Amino acid sequence: MSTFEKLQKAIALNDSILCIGLDIDSAMVPDSFSDISTLISFNKEIIDHTKDLACSYKINFAFYEQYGLKGWELLEQTISYIPEEIVIISDAKRGDIGNTSVRYARAVYDTLRTDAVTINPFMGLDSAQPFITGGYEDKMAFVLALTSNPGSADFQRLGSEGRSISKHVIDKFYSNFNHHSIGFVIGATHPDELAEIRETIPDSFLLIPGVGTQGGNIEAVMKANKGLPAIVNVSRDIIYSSKGHDFALKARDKALYYREILR
Amino acid sequence: MSTFEKLQKAIALNDSILCIGLDIDSAMVPDSFSDISTLISFNKEIIDHTKDLACSYKINFAFYEQYGLKGWELLEQTISYIPEEIVIISDAKRGDIGNTSVRYARAVYDTLRTDAVTINPFMGLDSAQPFITGGYEDKMAFVLALTSNPGSADFQRLGSEGRSISKHVIDKFYSNFNHHSIGFVIGATHPDELAEIRETIPDSFLLIPGVGTQGGNIEAVMKANKGLPAIVNVSRDIIYSSKGHDFALKARDKALYYREILR
């Protein structure tokens, strides 16, 4: 089954467009998990308590890489614990010359066996192609288009030939690749642009981060998206709902809340 | 000692601006190293035979990540085998929202203890800042500006307000950060732009990839660079000089050749 289909099925199964970001950090978990070797138990608890509420888990590699080899082990253990029917997104924001991207694609799709990856378009189409074609058509690459952070204004919003760089990225990827093999990352902090962009790419899956701690307004996002294919990511605001023994139950409550308002 | 100083010292020590890319791949090494667990021996042989000829080793993370946990172990082993006086560049092309970039910076500088990193500027200054400031002023982040691949034309060469996006990236980073804490990646495949860019950022270190297999013309690059601070990376064309038992000696010969013509 392709990731595109798997994502549609997972959304239907759990009646949810919520993606939960497993941004693990020993400084933010309850004290009983402060030892790195116990972080896997934290992730397992979170997964156990939310797996019927999310369509996807997003693994942000930075949070794992900060622990080196132990972090990579945690990454692999976490991925293999996620139920088969839930889409796993490698939030790695990779991208390099083609010969290198081939290896990054192998890492996230073959070695780690995740369903999707986030990629950075700055180096151009040939840097993205190994994540999208050449045997990986059934996977899905979410292309950064307009990110949720203030710095998105620095280069993504620059205008060229009457369009922003973000729009150039979207147009170029949308016209060159199968629409089921790619998606786009549009931050929840830009509902106006989201509405505008949504018109031009109605059939693309969007990955929308920036809700919760980053301050994106969910109602505005939902209105701008018009019910078209999209998943909305929340990380810290769900998994770090409590530092007490009840952390997993509190995370579940928050996930229930987000699933509901994302309907 | 800051990375900037360490790089100057290493260049003087080995009379070399050659950076050697350790792009490990079990399909390209001699047959005796085809088992992944023996790749560390290959890297050690290459380092032993070239460490007096290079100012820097560049570790391209994709080649290690393709092997998952074993690859990350190989990455750590390789880094710790490189002599103290040679600069180690984490060629990771990372970049994410600030809160995430903080972890990527921790990974490459603290956990892996490398001297420098390559970063992708697409998400803006706030995504790059954690690699450059906040305690890491003595490290060095090489910012992708104009990459060596054909796809660099897709977005980096788009014009905005009379300048290319590459130029915007350079201007913004150059005017906002300490010039000893950042450098720029300019592909060897663009000698004309290199000459032009060089005029505006004479004191910045450039990391110039794209020589060798990628076809960049060294003479044109050297002329364009005018002897200003720069290191030139060669990966495959050095480390995969031979598939025979003489691979390390052949790599040494190639490194000698490159060091010489880069003078």
Side-chain angles (χ1 to χ4, degrees), chain A residues 23-25 27-28 60-63 65-70 72-73 76 91-101 103-104 106-107 111-112 120-127 144-156 158-161 165-166 168-170 172-173 214 236, chain B residues 23-25 27-28 60-63 65-70 72-73 76 91-101 103-104 106-107 111-112 120-127 144-156 158-161 165-166 168-170 172-173 214 236:
Chain A
D23 295 4
I24 195 75
D25 199 301
M28 296 182 76
N60 187 323
F61 279 36
F63 289 81
E65 291 179 14
Q66 67 179 328
Y67 301 119
L69 199 57
K70 281 184 185 172
W72 200 268
E73 207 174 344
E76 295 195 0
D91 188 10
K93 301 192 171 65
R94 300 300 198 248
D96 207 311
I97 64 168
N99 177 57
T100 298
S101 281
R103 271 75 181 191
Y104 276 131
R106 202 175 283 162
T111 307
L112 294 173
N120 186 314
F122 185 70
M123 292 182 66
L125 292 195
D126 60 1
S127 74
L144 299 185
L146 183 57
T147 55
S148 55
N149 59 320
S152 61
D154 291 338
F155 308 116
Q156 296 166 25
L158 288 178
S160 180
E161 300 161 17
I165 299 303
S166 288
H168 277 277
V169 168
I170 290 168
K172 211 147 215 162
F173 277 84
Q214 290 184 65
R236 288 170 273 176
Chain B
D23 295 3
I24 196 73
D25 200 299
M28 296 181 77
N60 186 322
F61 279 35
F63 288 81
E65 290 179 14
Q66 66 179 326
Y67 301 120
L69 200 56
K70 282 184 183 173
W72 199 266
E73 206 174 344
E76 295 195 358
D91 187 10
K93 300 189 171 68
R94 298 301 197 250
D96 207 310
I97 63 168
N99 177 56
T100 298
S101 282
R103 272 75 183 191
Y104 277 131
R106 201 176 283 164
T111 306
L112 294 172
N120 186 313
F122 185 70
M123 290 181 66
L125 293 196
D126 61 0
S127 74
L144 299 184
L146 183 58
T147 56
S148 55
N149 60 319
S152 61
D154 292 336
F155 308 115
Q156 295 165 28
L158 287 178
S160 180
E161 301 162 15
I165 299 302
S166 288
H168 277 276
V169 168
I170 290 167
K172 210 145 214 163
F173 277 85
Q214 290 184 65
R236 288 169 274 176

Side-chain angles (χ1 to χ4, degrees), chain B residues 1-216:
Chain B
M1 195 189 333
S2 72
T3 297
F4 187 86
E5 291 167 305
K6 186 173 170 181
L7 193 48
Q8 288 181 316
K9 282 201 173 187
I11 289 170
L13 176 73
N14 287 337
D15 192 13
S16 174
I17 63 163
L18 175 63
C19 171
I20 297 179
L22 299 173
D23 295 3
I24 196 73
D25 200 299
S26 61
M28 296 181 77
V29 295
D31 292 343
S32 53
F33 297 99
S34 61
D35 188 277
I36 295 165
S37 65
T38 64
L39 290 177
I40 184 61
S41 307
F42 177 85
N43 274 353
K44 284 183 174 178
E45 287 283 323
I46 294 288
I47 293 165
D48 284 342
H49 284 78
T50 58
K51 64 188 177 190
D52 59 328
L53 303 176
C55 62
S56 171
Y57 288 104
K58 184 169 77 59
I59 314 279
N60 186 322
F61 279 35
F63 288 81
Y64 295 80
E65 290 179 14
Q66 66 179 326
Y67 301 120
L69 200 56
K70 282 184 183 173
W72 199 266
E73 206 174 344
L74 175 60
L75 179 74
E76 295 195 358
Q77 289 169 336
T78 301
I79 287 166
S80 54
Y81 193 74
I82 294 171
E84 182 63 33
E85 64 273 18
I86 308 295
V87 168
I88 307 177
I89 301 172
S90 283
D91 187 10
K93 300 189 171 68
R94 298 301 197 250
D96 207 310
I97 63 168
N99 177 56
T100 298
S101 282
V102 165
R103 272 75 183 191
Y104 277 131
R106 201 176 283 164
V108 294
Y109 295 144
D110 296 336
T111 306
L112 294 172
R113 287 183 293 155
T114 61
D115 305 297
V117 63
T118 56
I119 61 173
N120 186 313
F122 185 70
M123 290 181 66
L125 293 196
D126 61 0
S127 74
Q129 196 156 354
F131 295 99
I132 304 168
T133 62
Y136 297 127
E137 290 77 3
D138 269 1
K139 301 291 186 173
M140 218 167 157
F142 287 96
V143 185
L144 299 184
L146 183 58
T147 56
S148 55
N149 60 319
S152 61
D154 292 336
F155 308 115
Q156 295 165 28
R157 281 179 187 279
L158 287 178
S160 180
E161 301 162 15
R163 289 172 294 163
S164 68
I165 299 302
S166 288
K167 267 296 267 155
H168 277 276
V169 168
I170 290 167
D171 292 347
K172 210 145 214 163
F173 277 85
Y174 193 70
S175 60
N176 276 282
F177 296 112
N178 183 316
H179 299 173
H180 288 193
S181 305
I182 56 168
F184 294 98
V185 178
I186 315 269
T189 44
H190 314 291
D192 293 345
E193 281 95 336
L194 175 60
E196 212 183 298
I197 289 167
R198 196 70 270 201
E199 301 280 342
T200 61
I201 49 168
D203 57 338
S204 288
F205 253 111
L206 302 187
L207 167 58
I208 305 176
V211 157
T213 317
Q214 290 184 65

Side-chain angles (χ1 to χ4, degrees), chain A residues 53-97:
Chain A
L53 303 176
C55 62
S56 171
Y57 288 104
K58 184 168 78 59
I59 315 278
N60 187 323
F61 279 36
F63 289 81
Y64 296 80
E65 291 179 14
Q66 67 179 328
Y67 301 119
L69 199 57
K70 281 184 185 172
W72 200 268
E73 207 174 344
L74 176 61
L75 179 73
E76 295 195 0
Q77 289 169 337
T78 302
I79 288 166
S80 52
Y81 192 73
I82 294 171
E84 181 63 34
E85 64 273 17
I86 308 295
V87 168
I88 307 176
I89 301 172
S90 283
D91 188 10
K93 301 192 171 65
R94 300 300 198 248
D96 207 311
I97 64 168

